Amino acid sequence: MDLIPFIRNIPGFPKPGIIFRDITPMLANAEAFDYAIDKMIEPFVHAKIQKVVAIEARGFILGTVAANKLKAGFVPIRKKGKLPFKTDLESCSLEYGSASIEIHADALKEDERVLLIDDVLATGGTMAAACRLAERQKATIAGIAFLCELDFLGGRKLLQNTIHSVLHF
Ligand code: AMP
C-alpha cells in the first residue's frame, strides 16, 4: 500500500519555509492507519518491547496503537507542565522552535525494553531529548520508529539507536 497520498504537505505551516507533513488524512483512513502502524512496528515485533514511549501530541496517536499491537505498555512524554506526578525534564530544539519535554520519574524500569515513537523525524532534537529521558531511567532503547523522516535535515545523526522510518521525504 502506498501511504504517500495520505500525507498532506502544507507549505508555510507553522512558519514560512516549513513544509508541514500532515498525517490526518492517513489517520482518517482505517486501512491506511492500520497499515502504517504495522509498517512502523514491523522491525520490532520480535524485539520483546515492554513499553512504547511516544511524544505529545501526534506521537500519542501512533504510539498507543503501536503499544496495543505489540502488547506493550504505553508511556507518554509530554510538553513541560502537563504531567501530574514527579517528572524528569529535557530541553530540545526542533525544526520550527524549541520545547521542554517531560516523562514521569517512575515511568520506566531499569533494563526495560522500549520502542520510542513519533510521527516525524525532522532535525532530531525532540527524539534525542526523549532518548535522554529514557536512558536516564536506565531503560534499554530497542528502537526508534517514525512514520516520516525528512532526510534532508539529517536528524538521524543525533540518534544512536536502531532507527526505522516508513516514509522518507
Ligand atoms: P525535530 O525535533 O526537529 O526532529 O522535530 C520533530 C517534532 O516536531 C516532531 O514531534 C514532529 O511532530 C514535529 N515536526 C517537525 N517538523 C515537522 C514537519 N515538517 N511536519 C510535521 N511535523 C513536524
Side-chain angles (χ1 to χ4, degrees):
M1 183 174 191
D2 183 9
L3 290 171
I4 294 281
F6 294 97
I7 308 297
R8 183 162 51 191
N9 299 321
I10 318 257
F13 183 87
K15 286 184 177 170
I18 303 289
I19 302 174
F20 193 85
R21 312 292 165 170
D22 174 21
I23 65 167
T24 60
M26 184 275 292
L27 298 175
N29 183 288
E31 199 190 343
F33 190 7
D34 187 61
Y35 179 79
I37 303 292
D38 283 345
K39 294 309 279 184
M40 284 180 80
I41 64 173
E42 198 171 61
F44 308 108
V45 285
H46 300 299
K48 297 186 168 60
I49 302 299
Q50 293 166 289
K51 292 273 163 64
V52 170
V53 178
I55 303 168
E56 183 177 5
R58 289 176 301 276
F60 288 1
I61 302 167
L62 307 175
T64 50
V65 180
N68 214 250
K69 284 192 188 238
L70 289 167
K71 304 211 181 319
F74 177 80
V75 169
I77 288 184
R78 297 207 63 182
K79 312 246 161 70
K80 189 181 172 195
K82 301 281 187 185
L83 287 171
F85 186 59
K86 198 175 154 223
T87 57
D88 287 337
L89 174 79
E90 274 288 338
S91 296
C92 51
S93 60
L94 55 154
E95 194 188 7
Y96 45 73
S98 63
S100 293
I101 56 173
E102 288 183 323
I103 191 170
H104 270 150
D106 64 348
L108 301 172
K109 296 186 185 70
E110 190 167 344
D111 296 331
E112 196 161 42
R113 293 179 63 75
V114 306
L115 173 64
L116 287 114
I117 282 193
D118 205 359
D119 64 333
V120 174
L121 171 59
T123 63
T126 306
M127 187 53 84
C131 288
R132 291 196 294 275
L133 289 173
E135 278 159 0
R136 214 182 292 150
Q137 298 194 356
K138 300 189 170 61
T140 298
I141 299 175
I144 307 174
F146 300 94
L147 182 63
C148 307
E149 178 169 349
L150 309 183
D151 292 339
F152 57 95
L153 291 173
R156 62 170 57 219
K157 286 201 290 274
L158 286 188
L159 307 171
Q160 264 110 48
N161 311 83
T162 305
I163 304 158
H164 169 61
S165 302
V166 178
L167 302 173
H168 292 265
F169 293 91

